[in-house]
Amino acid sequence: MACYRKKPVEIEAVQLCWTQWNEVCELLGDALTAENPDGAFEIPAEEVSDTCGEEGPNYIGLYVRTVHGEIAIVRHGDWIVPEKQPGRFYPVKPDVFAPPTRR
């Protein structure tokens, strides 16, 4: 079977974790208060996508609105990527940004 490589694309993104919280707030801007009036919420360790090297027991969960108007959950360790439409984002699992493995 043939193998194909997808052309790399540069995007703006920030990983949801405590050490990046200021950057998360900056990226979300007004959407943080409009879409998340209660801000972030705690999630248990078994629900995180990646601990980001941070020791629990407190990990972050967050809701964002997607370009389709749906609400998506961003879990600690997920990356938040802004859409072209203002106030719209989507979560990306951390393995998408992991370096490729050699075969």
Side-chain angles (χ1 to χ4, degrees), residues 12-92:
E12 181 181 12
V14 66
Q15 193 170 28
L16 180 61
C17 58
W18 290 119
T19 56
Q20 296 284 100
W21 183 246
N22 288 339
E23 290 83 357
V24 169
C25 292
E26 187 177 316
L27 178 71
L28 295 178
D30 292 339
L32 184 61
T33 54
E35 303 299 334
N36 294 296
D38 298 323
F41 54 89
E42 286 187 29
I43 62 173
E46 54 271 0
E47 291 184 19
V48 303
S49 294
D50 185 342
T51 64
C52 303
E54 299 173 345
E55 293 189 29
N58 299 322
Y59 294 102
I60 312 170
L62 178 61
Y63 294 110
V64 294
R65 190 166 299 275
T66 69
V67 72
H68 303 292
E70 300 165 344
I71 299 292
I73 297 175
V74 183
R75 299 179 192 288
H76 193 104
D78 286 347
W79 289 81
I80 304 169
V81 177
E83 293 277 3
K84 291 181 182 178
Q85 186 177 355
R88 302 296 192 234
F89 307 89
Y90 63 95
V92 176

